[in-house]
Amino acid sequence: MALHGIVASPLEDWFRTRYFAAKTDISSSGVENYSLGDLRRILGVSAEELDAIAFRDSPSLGSDRLRQAIAGRFASAPERAMVTHGSTEGLFLALTALLRPGDEVVVLRPVYQSLHSIAESLGATL
């Protein structure tokens, strides 16, 4: 089923049924499994220091400090920097801002499904 013309990803369907049963993962772009104890040891913090960390929501564009660091890295103004929750959100925002129906886009296939399916849903010619 397509959502606003964005076609379903067969690869994601395949992952849903096979990924967690695989003996060896050569496809993931995620993170390795770590317990809080593992992270505490890696970071060199005590249990008390970890207990004091408050997990809270962040501003929708990213924290000011993070956006300033990104802007500094790319010689930009912080108000032009935006933090997204993963590459799919970033691709969606960039492509919907830049593409119009009939625009031509060069993409590689097979690669990251969102790259071509979002462009297609926006009416771009691949």
Side-chain angles (χ1 to χ4, degrees):
M1 179 171 85
L3 174 67
H4 299 290
I6 301 173
V7 296
S9 169
L11 180 60
E12 290 299 322
D13 292 339
W14 188 88
F15 279 149
R16 259 187 290 287
T17 60
R18 294 174 178 85
Y19 175 76
F20 290 102
K23 292 179 184 173
T24 305
D25 174 16
I26 61 168
S27 65
S28 181
S29 61
V31 298
E32 290 193 32
N33 298 327
Y34 290 108
S35 69
L36 285 176
D38 293 334
L39 289 176
R40 189 174 48 75
R41 283 186 292 282
I42 290 167
L43 297 172
V45 297
S46 68
E48 292 77 25
E49 289 171 306
L50 188 59
D51 286 349
I53 296 173
F55 292 93
R56 59 183 178 276
D57 201 2
S58 63
S60 61
L61 299 178
S63 72
D64 289 339
R65 187 172 164 198
L66 178 57
R67 291 174 56 224
Q68 287 171 357
I70 292 169
R73 168 71 170 86
F74 294 101
S76 180
E79 59 272 9
R80 296 182 52 93
M82 175 187 224
V83 178
T84 63
H85 297 277
S87 56
T88 299
E89 182 183 11
L91 281 171
F92 182 80
L93 293 172
L95 293 175
T96 56
L98 296 172
L99 294 180
R100 298 294 173 259
D103 287 352
E104 293 183 352
V105 179
V106 177
V107 296
L108 299 172
R109 276 192 180 171
V111 292
Y112 197 59
Q113 168 110 14
S114 295
L115 186 57
H116 60 83
S117 62
I118 293 171
E120 281 180 317
S121 75
L122 294 169
T125 301
L126 305 184

